[in-house]
Amino acid sequence: MKSVSSLEQLVKQRPLPKHIGIIMDGNGRWAELRGLPRLEGHREGANRVREVTRCARRLGLQAVTLYAFSMQNWMRPWDEIEGLMALLSEYLLKERHEILDNQIKLNVIGELARLPAEVREPLLELCEASASHTEMVLTLAVSYGSREELVLAARRLAQKVAQGELSAEGIDEVAFEAELSTSGLPEVDMLVRTSGELRISNFLLWQIAYAELVFSSTLWPDFQEAQFLDALAEYQQRERRFGYTSAQLRPPSP
């Protein structure tokens, strides 16, 4: 078995994705398997966020988008939601210096108006404080749903047409993508989901049109640097054709 450092060096030698999306699943199950409150799984999961972010930064990835809290998660028991909001607030406080010192730009997508002020305000403040950073974009999808995002984008385009700012014929992929909350980020090349679940769960539905999907059976609190590097190594074994044939992608014979 390769060491983490040798695996990292091997991964660095091959083409890397520009933008990775991660569905961080399995926190609650991890805690329940250990007889712990579900919140302890989310707390341990926050440590994996730090570890994976550091690794992504070292590798030189341009963007990482983490599914932190979905629109559908608002249906969970209120005590769990309150605990999750407290953990998010704690994460922002603990990671502030690391984000700023490492020139990471923090970004957030989702319906932020639903967040409590004690989470929303420091989140937006850290986004503003790191706005000029260029080394990597770390996006937190909080109170986020992709179907909801697509509806809002369509609504904004409809308003532009109604106001005469845009013609119906002028609506193309570029115009539509400009209305998405991820506008300006590279296209998602790779989507990782942990915990063995094989679904997308309303995450970045437009953005992952050509992403390579990597599913791991590891629960998120156990998804350490080695598992992240393994996922990248799996991505690097894929042939990305984008509709072409393998023969078309081969370099011409001399």
Side-chain angles (χ1 to χ4, degrees), residues 122-234:
L123 180 56
L124 293 176
E125 189 279 329
L126 186 50
C127 287
E128 183 177 352
S130 63
S132 63
H133 293 177
T134 58
E135 290 302 316
M136 188 179 85
V137 180
L138 174 63
T139 300
L140 301 181
V142 183
S143 188
Y144 172 84
S146 188
R147 285 183 173 180
E148 291 82 354
E149 177 188 31
L150 294 172
V151 168
L152 287 173
R155 189 176 296 158
R156 283 192 288 266
L157 286 170
Q159 289 172 344
K160 288 184 176 181
V161 171
Q163 294 166 1
E165 299 175 23
L166 182 69
S167 68
E169 293 75 17
I171 298 175
D172 55 14
E173 288 188 16
V174 173
F176 194 90
E177 194 163 295
E179 299 298 332
L180 298 176
S181 55
T182 53
S183 177
L185 291 175
E187 186 171 333
V188 178
D189 298 307
M190 172 183 173
L191 176 72
V192 178
R193 180 167 189 151
T194 61
S195 87
E197 301 290 356
L198 305 178
R199 55 179 177 267
I200 305 305
S201 295
N202 199 23
F203 184 52
L204 301 178
L205 299 177
W206 172 283
Q207 295 88 339
I208 63 170
Y210 278 100
E212 297 296 325
L213 309 184
V214 178
F215 295 102
S216 170
S217 60
T218 304
L219 300 174
W220 177 250
D222 290 328
F223 193 83
Q224 300 179 340
E225 194 174 309
Q227 285 75 28
F228 181 56
L229 291 168
D230 281 339
L232 286 167
E234 181 175 339

Side-chain angles (χ1 to χ4, degrees), residues 61-72:
L61 304 187
Q62 292 183 26
V64 176
T65 298
L66 304 176
Y67 206 7
F69 190 85
S70 75
M71 284 291 292
Q72 288 66 42

Side-chain angles (χ1 to χ4, degrees), residues 26-45 47-48 79-80 87 219 221-222:
N27 292 329
R29 275 171 284 164
W30 182 91
E32 289 168 355
L33 286 170
R34 289 160 177 77
L36 299 171
R38 287 176 58 86
L39 194 61
E40 291 307 308
H42 293 294
R43 190 180 303 279
E44 184 62 26
N47 294 328
R48 299 293 82 75
D79 58 343
E80 183 173 344
L87 275 179
L219 300 174
D222 290 328

